[in-house]
């Protein structure tokens, strides 16, 4: 309860920050975008990660205003990237279950895209399998609406749900993100290697892009590249970092 009360205050007092983790195109080795990951600068506890407060925010309903803040901040970022050297960058934002199933998301997105004149194709929304499956009909309708606007949709943590394949059948999406649980043991576990390779092939056969999460070693990177995985994200390339640092990293590439 203490943390919950403190969270509402944190939003009012602007203690949240978006960190960015680069996403790398494997064929070229270049940064093609980033995933936005929320951080909380607690005045006494220091930096608090989302694993500690997102579940509380979900339960208390704070996730709605917090999620709106994240989208607003992401829109500002995309608008500020309309400058040479940054204009190609895509930004991926995580959506919580409540955000997906609430009525406010689409009007809020429409307002943001319009106000900031953002190319919707540069905004990607990540939805976990479990969030989408809480209300498959509603999720399906939401994804249709998002994609009709040109916004990209990715399935997060792909393969960890109970019905990953049904998800592919039910929902119109653009990309899947292979969960890091599968990537972790690619080198040591032949089953994981087969699962990852087959998942990439399956996604491509369906016309979907693939991002591998949690890439930590050169061997994993080589494997994924050999299997035609499109993009990767993980500590091998970079940890989530403040916006200015990310922008400097992108600029230093060219
Ligand atoms: O950043 P970190 O590596 O600790 O992220 C942990 C989890 O928190 C991830 O599963 C991520 O999806 C989730 N998360 C991070 N930022 C956000 C956000 O802005 N909204 C939601 N709903 N989840 C987030
Ligand atoms: O939304 P999602 O659950 O995918 O959030 C990504 C989470 O994974 C964040 O908490 C991020 O800090 C973490 N992460 C990103 N790259 C790596 C990695 O290479 N290894 C591990 N163990 N975690 C990572
Ligand atoms: Mn994610
Ligand atoms: Na994930």
């Amino acid at each position: 309860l203490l943390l919950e009360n403190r969270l509402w205050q944190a939003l009012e007092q602007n203690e949240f920050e978006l960190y960015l983790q680069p996403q790398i195109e494997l064929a070229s080795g270049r940064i093609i975008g980033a995933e936005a990951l929320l951080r909380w600068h607690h005045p006494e506890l220091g930096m608090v990660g989302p694993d500690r407060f997102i579940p509380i925010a979900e339960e208390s309903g704070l996730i709605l205003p917090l999620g709106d803040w994240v989208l607003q901040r992401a829109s500002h970022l995309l608008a500020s990237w309309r400058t040479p050297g940054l204009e190609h960058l895509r930004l991926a934002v995580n959506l919580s279950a409540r955000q997906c199933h609430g009525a406010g998301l689409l009007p809020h997105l429409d307002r943001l895209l319009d106000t900031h004149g953002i190319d919707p194709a540069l905004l990607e929304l990540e939805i976990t399998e479990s969030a989408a499956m809480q209300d498959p009909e509603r999720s399906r309708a939401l994804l249709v609406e998002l994609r009709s606007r040109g916004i990209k949709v990715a399935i997060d943590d792909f393969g960890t749900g109970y019905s990953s394949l049904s998800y592919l059948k039910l929902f119109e999406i653009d990309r899947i993100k292979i969960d890091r649980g599968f990537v972790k043991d690619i080198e040591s576990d032949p089953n994981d290697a087969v699962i990852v390779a087959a998942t990439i092939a399956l996604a491509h056969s369906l016309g979907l892009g693939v991002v591998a999460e949690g890439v930590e070693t050169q061997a994993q990177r080589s494997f994924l590249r050999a299997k035609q995985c499109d993009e990767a994200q993980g500590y091998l390339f970079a940890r989530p970092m403040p916006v200015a640092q990310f922008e400097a990293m992108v600029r230093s590439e060219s």
Side-chain angles (χ1 to χ4, degrees), residues 21 39 180 213-217 233-240:
Q21 186 175 37
R39 298 290 181 263
R180 69 168 173 272
E213 299 181 310
V215 177
E216 296 184 353
T217 70
Q233 177 181 346
Y235 296 164
L236 174 66
F237 308 103
R239 292 188 173 251

Side-chain angles (χ1 to χ4, degrees), residues 35-53:
E35 177 177 3
L37 293 159
L38 201 52
R39 298 290 181 263
W40 176 19
H41 293 280
H42 190 287
E44 288 104 44
L45 298 176
M47 189 76 93
V48 182
D51 286 335
R52 287 192 52 201
F53 62 81

Side-chain angles (χ1 to χ4, degrees), residues 64 67-68 71 95-96 98-112 125 127 142 146:
L64 293 177
D68 281 350
L71 286 170
L95 286 188
S96 75
R98 274 225 197 180
Q99 265 180 298
C100 295
H101 301 131
L105 182 65
L106 287 170
H108 190 233
L109 278 169
D110 285 338
R111 208 157 45 238
L112 287 172
L125 299 179
I127 300 173
L142 173 68
L146 292 173

